[in-house]
Amino acid sequence: MELFTQNMAPIMFAGLIFFLLLGFPVAFSLGACGLFFGFVGVELGVLPEALLQALPLRLYGIMQNDTLLAIPFFTLMGLILERSGMAEDLLETIGQLFGPVRGGLAFAVIFVGALLAATTGVVAASVISMGLISLPIMLRYGYDRRIASGVIAASGTLAQIIPPSLVLIILADQLGRSVGDMYKGAFIPGFALTAMYVGYVIIIAIFRPAMVPALPLEARTIREDNGKSGLLSLLILTIVATGVAIYFGEHYAEVYSWFKGEKIDSVATDETIVVAMCSGVMLAFVIAVVNKVTRLGLLSRMAERVTFVLIPPLLLIFLVLGTIFLGIATPTEGGAMGALGAIIMAMARGRLSMTLLKQALNTTTKLASFVVFILVGSTVFSLVFQGVDGQKWVEHLLTGLPGGQIGFLIVVNLLIFFLAFFLDFFELSFIVVPLLAPVAEKLGVDLIWFGVLLGVNMQTSFMHPPFGFALFYLRSVAPSKEYADRVTGKTIQPVTTMQIYWGAVPFVLIQVIMVALIIFFPGIVSSGLDKEVKVDLDQIQLQMEADSKSMDIPVLEAPQGGASGPAADGKADDNDPMKAMQDSMDKDTKK
C-alpha cells in the first residue's frame, strides 16, 4: 500500500492511458479517473477532503471563461461560410486562374485552403468542401491520386495553425496566455507552411509534370469574347493595388499622426501590414464595382470574377483578425463579428435559409458541448493529479533530460508526434499541455512560442496514417467505386485508402521540417509578436525628481551613511513622513 501511495501520480497517469485504450470517451475517461483516484486518495489519507470541495469552484471558473466563447463563434462562422457556397466559388475561380500552369489545380487548392483557414478555422469543413469540389476535377484531368489526396488533406489542416484557429484558442487558455498573442505568433509559421506546400507542388511539376497536368483549353471557361484569358487586366489591377498597399504601409505612421492629431514616430508592424493590405484590397474592390456599374470595360471577366470572389472573404479576415491585431476587439468579440459577417455574406449571396442556419447552429452546439465536456473532465483530472504532486513528478521526469531546453523540446515533440497517432488536438491540449507548460516555463521557454510549436506539431494529428481525421474526412467523400465523369463521360477509377495514406506522407514530413525550423529559428514565431517594452527605473527616478523640482515639491532624501529612518546623528529627520505619521498617532492616543 505504501508503494501505491508514494507513486499515485504515475499510477493515475497510467490509469488514464488504460481507460483511453479501452475506447472510453476522453471526457468521461478523464473525469472518472480523476474522481476515482480522488476518492481513493482521501480514503488513504493522501489527499485532504477539502481538495475535492474546490472542484465546484474550478467548474464554475470554466463557465466564467470568456475566452472559450470564441470557439462557438468561429465554428458558426466557418460552418455558415462553408454551407453558403463560398468554398465552391473560390475553388472554381482560383482553379480557372491557375489552370493554365502545371499543378495549377493543386496551387488553387492550397491557396483556397489557406483562405478558408483564415476565415473558417474548421478542418472538417475545409477538407470535405475541397474533397467534394476539387477532387473530381483533379481526377477528371489526370492528376495523380496520391498528389490530389495529399494536397486536399494537407490544405484542409492549415485551419489548425492559421488564425483564427480553434487549437490556438485552446492552447492559449491552457498556457494562460493571450489568444491575440498566440494568433500573432502563429501568423508567419502558418503562411510559411503554406509556402512549403506550394514548393513541394512546384518540385513535382518540374520533375514529374505528368502527375500534375495543366487544365486543357476547353476546360478554361472564364475567357473574353475574343478568346483571350484576360490575365493581363488582372495583373495590372494586382500591381496597382499592391503598389498602393506598399506606399500606404510605408507612410502609415504619417497618416496615423494626421488622424490622431499628434506626432507618431512608429506603428506596430502587424498593424501596418493589416491596414496596408486592407487599403489595397478596398481599392481593387472599388475599381471593380465602378467598372461593373459604369460598364467601362476596364477589367476583363477574369479580373472582375477574381475580385468579387476574393474580396468578401478577405474583408471578413480583416474584420476578424485585423480588429484583434489592432487591439480593437478581443478574440471573442472578433469571433462574434466574424459570425455576423458570415451571416451577412450568406444573405448577400441569397444562400441563407432557415435550414442552413439550423444545421450550422446544431453542429456548433455539438462541437462546443464536446469541448466543454473534455474541459470539465480535464479539470477534474488535473485537480487530483496536482493534489498527488503529479506536476512535480512530470517536472522531475522532464527537467532531468540531457540537453537542457533543446533536449526537452525534442522529447516533448516526439511525445506529441507519437500521441497524435491516437489522440486529436483537443485531447492533447487538455491532457498533455497542462503537464508540459510549468516545466517549459521553468526551463525559460517562452510559452507563446511553445504554444505555436505544439500547434504545428498537433497539426500532424490530422494527417497521420492510419488515424488522421483529415484522411477520414477525405475518405468519406472520395469515390470508392469507379464512375462515369459527368463532363467527359470517361470512366474514372476510384481513390483507394492506401493512395490517400501515401499522399499524406510527404506533407507529414513537411510538418516535421517546420517543427525543426521553429525550434532552431525561434524568430519565425517571435518576430510576429509585439516587442517587449523595457523600462529604465533609473530614468524614471530622475524624471520624477525633475518633475518634483519644477512643481516645488520637496524631495525626500535618504540620510547620509545609508541609514533609513533616524538620521546618522541620532536625531529624527524633520522631513521623515513615517515619523510625522507616528507623532500624529501618538497625539491621538494621548487624547
Side-chain angles (χ1 to χ4, degrees), residues 324-446:
I324 294 173
F325 288 173
L326 297 179
I328 299 172
T330 65
T332 302
E333 294 166 346
M337 289 191 295
L340 180 61
I343 293 173
I344 293 173
M345 281 179 58
M347 289 177 61
R349 292 167 177 265
R351 296 177 180 176
L352 184 67
S353 63
M354 188 56 67
T355 302
L356 184 151
L357 198 57
K358 284 181 179 178
Q359 291 176 348
L361 289 172
N362 185 35
T363 306
T364 300
T365 304
K366 287 180 180 178
L367 180 63
S369 302
F370 170 74
V371 172
V372 171
F373 265 102
I374 293 183
L375 185 53
V376 168
S378 68
T379 301
V380 176
F381 179 84
S382 65
L383 178 65
V384 178
F385 194 71
Q386 290 175 4
V388 297
D389 291 333
Q391 298 282 13
K392 291 183 179 178
W393 172 67
V394 174
E395 183 178 320
H396 292 157
L397 194 66
L398 295 176
T399 52
L401 294 171
Q405 278 190 6
I406 296 297
F408 166 76
L409 292 171
I410 291 174
V411 170
V412 164
N413 280 282
L414 288 175
L415 175 66
I416 294 291
F417 186 82
F418 174 74
L419 290 176
F421 278 92
F422 313 102
L423 304 174
D424 70 6
F425 73 90
F426 279 126
E427 295 153 2
L428 289 170
S429 300
F430 288 129
I431 298 173
V432 182
V433 172
L435 303 179
L436 300 176
V439 183
E441 193 167 22
K442 187 170 184 179
L443 289 173
V445 177
D446 180 72

Side-chain angles (χ1 to χ4, degrees), residues 198-281:
V198 171
Y200 171 69
V201 176
I202 290 174
I203 292 173
I204 295 295
I206 293 174
F207 296 101
R208 302 291 296 274
M211 299 176 74
V212 286
L215 276 180
L217 186 62
E218 63 272 13
R220 305 171 201 167
T221 56
I222 305 177
R223 307 180 67 82
E224 299 300 294
D225 294 334
N226 58 9
K228 294 184 178 180
S229 64
L231 292 178
L232 179 61
S233 173
L234 178 61
L235 178 62
I236 294 173
L237 180 64
T238 303
I239 292 173
V240 170
T242 304
V244 169
I246 293 173
Y247 181 83
F248 191 86
E250 291 177 347
H251 296 83
Y252 179 55
E254 301 171 14
V255 176
Y256 195 56
S257 299
W258 170 80
F259 178 76
K260 295 286 287 185
E262 58 184 77
K263 178 65 175 175
I264 305 294
D265 294 326
S266 62
V267 185
T269 304
D270 54 355
E271 180 178 345
T272 303
I273 292 173
V274 168
V275 176
M277 288 178 63
C278 186
S279 65
V281 166

Side-chain angles (χ1 to χ4, degrees), residues 102 120 356 366 560:
R102 291 172 184 165
T120 65
L356 184 151
K366 287 180 180 178
Q560 298 296 323

Side-chain angles (χ1 to χ4, degrees), residues 21 28 115 197 322 372 420 456 470 532 570 572:
L21 291 177
F28 301 123
L115 201 59
Y197 290 172
V372 171
V456 174
E532 183 180 356

